[in-house]
Amino acid sequence: MKIEIWSDVMCPFCYIGKNNFEQALEKLPFKNEIEVEWKSFQLDPTLDATQPQNTIEYFKEKKGFPADQASQMIGQVAQMGKGAGIDFNFEKALIINTFTAHKLLHLAKKYGKANEMEEALFKAHFIDGKNVGDIEELVALAENSGLDKDEARQALTSDQFDYEINQDIQEAKNNGISSVPFFVLNGKYAVSGAQPAEVFADALQQTYKETVSPFEDLSKGGGASCDTDGCSV
């Protein structure tokens, strides 16, 4: 059974959703029959690729949120993260254009390491305060994940994976996907947002058993997600 997941590195709910999904998957008897494919999505493709911002600055300048409102929202997300086993470090997180980071994801996919790389990118961005738009930081992540650093540098500094990234983004548009995380289960069901583990478990079990019309939403209400206008809890 194939699970496609649209995600962006700078989306906190994508990290929460990943952890909850994996928690649900681990308890299912057919977990070894699941193939996960990570798909690229950019929440803000207009971001500068060289000048990172901190999270509060980004919400103030780009989204127009007052500092206190931005801080309150970040605090709520941090609390959600703790429930999923993530200690977000938003004070250190650097907001940057993520297109280059997606190149590394697609290189990792080539070698069957996409899931490990997605985790490494989330950790680098949200916990370690790394600049995931920086070539040297990304090469280091590649090497730590067992990828060849020279091949990684070539992929990151060329257009080798640009087509694949843009295809993922276009596929999302074609399917009406405007917020992430977004999970498509075996091409039949969809679950949107950072749903609790039990929702993922129910959806995976039902998908395993049934054939239904494409993209019937099993979320039972919208979960927390991010779109191009920001994040909502």
Side-chain angles (χ1 to χ4, degrees):
M1 190 165 79
K2 186 174 184 178
I3 313 298
E4 297 165 290
I5 310 172
W6 273 264
S7 172
D8 194 8
V9 177
M10 62 180 263
C11 167
F13 295 123
C14 293
Y15 199 3
I16 294 171
K18 178 180 184 295
N19 276 25
N20 289 346
F21 169 79
E22 290 173 344
Q23 181 183 340
L25 186 60
E26 189 60 32
K27 297 178 181 179
L28 297 177
F30 51 86
K31 63 181 181 180
N32 293 330
E33 300 175 50
I34 302 294
E35 173 194 354
V36 175
E37 180 180 3
W38 288 93
K39 299 272 195 174
S40 295
F41 189 94
Q42 277 204 290
L43 291 169
D44 191 349
T46 68
L47 279 169
D48 194 287
T50 60
Q51 297 296 322
Q53 296 176 279
N54 69 43
T55 306
I56 296 293
E57 285 175 351
Y58 176 73
F59 281 112
K60 284 171 61 180
E61 296 176 15
K62 194 75 177 184
K63 303 299 183 182
F65 293 169
D68 57 346
Q69 183 182 350
S71 296
Q72 182 180 14
M73 188 186 77
I74 289 169
Q76 291 175 327
V77 178
Q79 281 300 116
M80 285 185 65
K82 288 184 184 299
I86 302 167
D87 289 320
F88 283 113
N89 191 352
F90 286 109
E91 292 79 9
K92 291 177 64 176
L94 299 173
I95 307 298
I96 193 77
N97 192 298
T98 58
F99 195 87
T100 304
H102 283 291
K103 293 184 180 186
L104 187 55
L105 175 65
H106 280 268
L107 175 63
K109 186 186 296 189
K110 177 181 173 182
Y111 294 102
K113 293 177 175 287
N115 200 63
E116 295 91 331
M117 184 55 67
E118 191 76 12
E119 179 69 27
L121 286 166
F122 280 139
K123 182 177 182 294
H125 176 66
F126 284 113
I127 297 174
D128 298 334
K130 302 292 186 182
N131 180 352
V132 295
D134 181 80
I135 299 297
E136 297 307 318
E137 295 281 14
L138 293 173
V139 168
L141 284 182
E143 192 172 14
N144 289 339
S145 299
L147 301 176
D148 182 79
K149 66 178 182 179
D150 294 327
E151 184 179 7
R153 191 182 304 277
Q154 170 63 24
L156 292 166
T157 56
S158 71
D159 62 359
Q160 179 180 350
F161 291 108
D162 289 18
Y163 176 80
E164 287 85 349
I165 295 168
N166 288 321
Q167 279 293 103
D168 284 353
I169 293 169
Q170 186 60 49
E171 188 178 356
K173 290 179 182 177
N174 292 345
N175 289 324
I177 299 170
S178 58
S179 64
V180 287
F182 195 91
F183 301 74
V184 176
L185 314 184
N186 220 26
K188 300 298 181 182
Y189 286 121
V191 174
S192 57
Q195 298 290 340
E198 56 267 23
V199 173
F200 283 119
D202 289 346
L204 287 164
Q205 289 171 324
Q206 187 167 341
T207 303
Y208 193 75
K209 295 175 182 177
E210 300 179 11
T211 298
V212 297
S213 58
F215 294 179
E216 180 178 338
D217 195 341
L218 299 182
S219 303
K220 301 177 182 177
S225 63
C226 296
D227 61 22
T228 54
D229 293 321
C231 297
S232 58
V233 180

